[in-house]
């Protein structure tokens, strides 16, 4: 991985914590070198300790190897998403060179991103920064609690009646922090097609404002877990 320049959008006044779970010592060294000093890196080589550390430190993001010695990153992800305390935590899965990658499985289980090797340091940093920023933006919104309650009152019928299956799927992908380009790559369609779906979803749900769709998607996903 190549070390990129520090992203000027990162707030370096407050050091955010990233929990890395991988059994690859070389990968740990590379990621530690890449993330420091922008982030405080916590690391472990097994899933059980990873869960304990997540509960103890409440990291801003979890970065997990798809294959770990005592389990898999997929099992860790399932455990996390079923945990009432940890389930909102942004979660990025990654694969190592010469190991099988299953992006679709990871995203379907609720990963916010999946980086398949080989990936660059710039790609990793951008993914981390994007997921943490999105999570903090929604969490720190003054009306977040009120909006979440409102979204819980929006029944599943409101979604099923207004959106097609494709639109509902794209809504869930937006909730996981995927950009239009990410969604287009994942579904093998054009970015323009994704943007058209986003426009239709926004219109059907009668949302307004530049961040309204993202707020709705994240709040709705949280309410339905």
């Amino acid at each position: 991985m190549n070390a990129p320049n520090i992203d000027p959008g990162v707030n370096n006044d407050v050091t955010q914590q990233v929990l890395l779970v991988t059994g690859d010592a070389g990968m740990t060294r590379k990621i530690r070198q890449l993330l420091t000093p922008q982030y405080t890196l916590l690391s472990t080589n097994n899933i059980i300790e990873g869960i304990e550390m997540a509960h103890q430190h409440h990291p801003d993001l979890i970065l997990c190897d798809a294959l770990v010695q005592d389990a898999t990153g997929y099992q860790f992800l399932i455990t996390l998403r079923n945990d009432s305390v940890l389930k909102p935590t942004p979660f990025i899965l990654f694969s190592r060179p010469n190991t099988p990658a299953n992006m679709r499985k990871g995203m379907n289980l609720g990963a916010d991103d999946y980086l398949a090797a080989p990936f660059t340091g710039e790609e990793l940093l951008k993914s981390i920064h994007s997921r943490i920023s999105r999570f903090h933006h929604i969490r720190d919104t003054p009306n977040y609690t009120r909006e979440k309650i409102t979204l819980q009152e929006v029944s599943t019928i409101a979604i099923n009646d207004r959106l097609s299956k494709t639109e509902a799927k794209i809504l869930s992908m937006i909730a996981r922090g995927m950009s239009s380009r990410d969604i287009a790559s994942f579904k093998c369609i054009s970015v323009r097609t994704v943007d058209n779906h986003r426009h239709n979803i926004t219109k059907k749900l009668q949302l307004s404002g530049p961040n309204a769709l993202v707020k709705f998607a994240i709040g709705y996903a949280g309410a339905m877990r």
Side-chain angles (χ1 to χ4, degrees):
M1 286 181 287
N2 300 318
N5 296 325
I6 293 178
D7 188 330
V10 175
N11 180 3
N12 293 302
D13 294 331
V14 179
T15 303
Q16 296 160 336
Q17 292 185 331
V18 174
L19 172 60
L20 171 64
V21 182
T22 179
D24 187 324
M27 181 66 74
T28 299
R29 287 193 297 270
K30 289 179 181 179
I31 292 178
R32 185 179 298 280
Q33 183 180 19
L34 178 69
L35 267 58
T36 305
Q38 289 177 255
Y39 302 97
T40 296
L41 185 68
L42 311 170
S43 64
T44 178
N45 62 3
N46 68 84
I47 298 298
I48 294 177
E49 188 172 310
I51 294 172
E52 293 175 352
M53 293 178 69
H55 275 288
Q56 180 180 356
H57 298 282
H58 297 283
D60 296 276
L61 180 139
I62 295 174
L63 179 62
C64 187
D65 196 335
L67 295 176
V68 189
Q69 62 181 19
D70 62 334
T72 69
Y74 306 108
Q75 290 170 301
F76 187 11
L77 177 56
I78 292 171
T79 300
L80 192 80
R81 293 303 183 230
N82 287 327
D83 189 302
S84 61
V85 175
L86 299 176
K87 67 181 180 181
T89 308
F91 192 101
I92 299 175
L93 275 167
F94 67 89
S95 66
R96 286 179 270 154
N98 303 317
T99 60
N102 195 333
M103 177 182 177
R104 184 174 296 276
K105 178 179 179 180
M107 301 304 286
N108 286 341
L109 289 175
D112 295 281
D113 199 2
Y114 193 116
L115 297 176
F119 53 88
T120 66
E122 183 175 7
E123 289 172 329
L124 177 59
L125 266 186
K126 283 184 177 180
S127 182
I128 291 173
H129 174 68
S130 174
R131 272 65 194 178
I132 290 180
S133 295
R134 187 183 298 272
F135 173 61
H136 284 191
H137 173 75
I138 300 300
R139 187 195 64 183
D140 297 338
T141 299
N143 294 327
Y144 175 67
T145 302
R146 179 184 61 78
E147 289 174 355
K148 188 172 182 180
I149 292 174
T150 302
L151 289 168
Q152 288 175 333
E153 295 171 352
V154 179
S155 67
T156 306
I157 296 176
I159 298 298
N160 291 341
D161 283 354
R162 299 182 191 182
L163 304 183
S164 67
K165 290 183 178 180
T166 298
E167 290 168 344
K169 180 63 176 178
I170 288 177
L171 181 66
S172 70
M173 296 172 85
I174 293 171
R176 295 200 292 271
M178 296 178 70
S179 67
S180 292
R181 188 174 297 277
D182 293 333
I183 296 171
S185 177
F186 183 74
K187 295 186 71 64
C188 299
I189 57 179
S190 69
V191 174
R192 183 175 181 178
T193 298
V194 176
D195 288 339
N196 286 339
H197 281 306
R198 293 177 71 116
H199 174 76
N200 291 336
I201 294 169
T202 301
K203 186 176 181 180
K204 288 180 179 181
L205 296 179
Q206 298 180 336
L207 303 174
S208 61
N211 297 315
L213 179 57
V214 173
K215 289 181 180 180
F216 181 91
I218 294 177
Y220 177 76
M224 295 307 295
R225 284 177 181 146

